Amino acid sequence: MEFKHFLHPHNLNFTEVGKENDCMRCFGCLDVIYGPAYICNTFDDGDFVMHKSCAELPPQIQTNTFHPHPLRFTVGEVIVCDGCAKLLASFINYRCIDCTFNLDFRCALAISNDYELADHVSLQEGRRSKTTIHHFSHYHQLTRSKFSLMKTEKVMEIFNYLWGSDEFKCMACKQELHGTLTYTCLPCRFVLHESCVNDMPRQVLHSPFHPQHILLPRPIRKDSSHGCSACKYDVEGISFYCNQCDVSLHVSCAKYKTRAIKHNCHPDHHLLHLGKSIISELCCSACDKDCGDSFFSCIKCEFCLHVECIPLPPSAQQKRHLHPLMLVNPCAEDDSGVYYCEACETERNPEHHVYYCE
């Protein structure tokens, strides 16, 4: 039995796919194919295969209970789905011909096959969670969504191609986005964790990398970047900026928690106690080995020392404590994510060595 799909130039042949073919993925929903399917047997197009139910979804659908206008297929786009509120990419999506409403292929298939799904609680929640805001970190409005990709080779290949990059990190904290709530500007490929949007300050005072002036947020346009004065990597999307000194910093660099010390091994400038999350791939100026997880650095001079290479005393006495304190490796007492020095009661960085009573 042959079938003609509106997106493919050749006739497709009906087949039953067994469980042993776990490498075949549907061109529509991107799931592994098992059961009835249509496949192109043309020599050059052996990769085109679809579930029977996916292949039979028409090029235009209309479900008045879910959306009043007709939805027509589009090919190869990154969207925030109005059904599930996920940010995703696929070969086939459905877009309203009259407005900006979008459905990813899975939601379009579910709604088209079962009209009762239009009132399903999960889809209603998805539509409610897709909200838009204006935020000082970006020129355009941001759309709330869940960044959730199936981490398969095919899906990642599609997303990398359509997104234009193989890095999916928050523009503020530079951490992974997978499985998190985000705010996104799709045309600019600008993405922030929801938590980073909520916690981003309007200004940064006394940044360790530029303590002399206030740093203010500055949006950076797509395809532009500035060098970060702290970690030396490019800053894209949003920076904290000193107009007086023309200094740009990543959001995470500007907010970095650390202290400066004065030491006779580098008398001209203060040394900052840093961890690998701020700067990586640096060599110790004393032993010429990789700096690793915790080190002291003078950014201006590109001078770095392991904690072990700087003569910190192995123990210290604190007047408010009876016992000697020993210098130990970086530690976190719990999983709260916020840690404090018990002497000065200010926040400390868990990547840094500490003096600890054993």
Side-chain angles (χ1 to χ4, degrees), residues 210-229:
H210 195 70
Q212 59 268 46
H213 300 123
I214 296 173
L215 300 175
L216 300 174
R218 181 175 70 164
I220 301 173
R221 295 193 181 277
K222 185 184 176 185
D223 300 325
S224 296
S225 64
H226 305 280
C228 177
S229 298

Side-chain angles (χ1 to χ4, degrees), residues 48 54 72 76 119 121 141 146 156 163 168 182 246 273 314 337 341 358:
F48 191 92
C54 291
R72 186 160 181 80
D119 295 317
V121 173
Q141 70 177 15
K146 184 173 184 179
M156 297 308 291
W163 190 254
F168 313 120
T182 63
D246 192 28
H273 193 184
C341 170
E358 298 179 330

Side-chain angles (χ1 to χ4, degrees), residues 218-271:
R218 181 175 70 164
I220 301 173
R221 295 193 181 277
K222 185 184 176 185
D223 300 325
S224 296
S225 64
H226 305 280
C228 177
S229 298
C231 68
K232 310 305 181 186
Y233 292 114
D234 284 346
V235 187
E236 298 177 336
I238 170 70
S239 72
F240 273 84
Y241 182 68
C242 173
N243 189 55
Q244 227 174 311
C245 304
D246 192 28
V247 166
S248 286
L249 295 171
H250 289 105
V251 176
S252 54
C253 294
K255 294 169 57 182
Y256 193 76
K257 298 291 184 183
T258 190
R259 285 186 176 84
I261 66 165
K262 193 74 175 171
H263 200 280
N264 56 14
C265 69
H266 191 71
D268 293 335
H269 305 115
H270 285 85
L271 298 177

Side-chain angles (χ1 to χ4, degrees), residues 1 3 12-14 37-40 48-50 52 55-56:
M1 181 173 69
F3 178 81
L12 307 179
N13 296 301
F14 178 80
Y38 287 108
I39 188 169
C40 178
F48 191 92
V49 57
M50 296 184 77
K52 181 176 181 293
E56 292 172 350

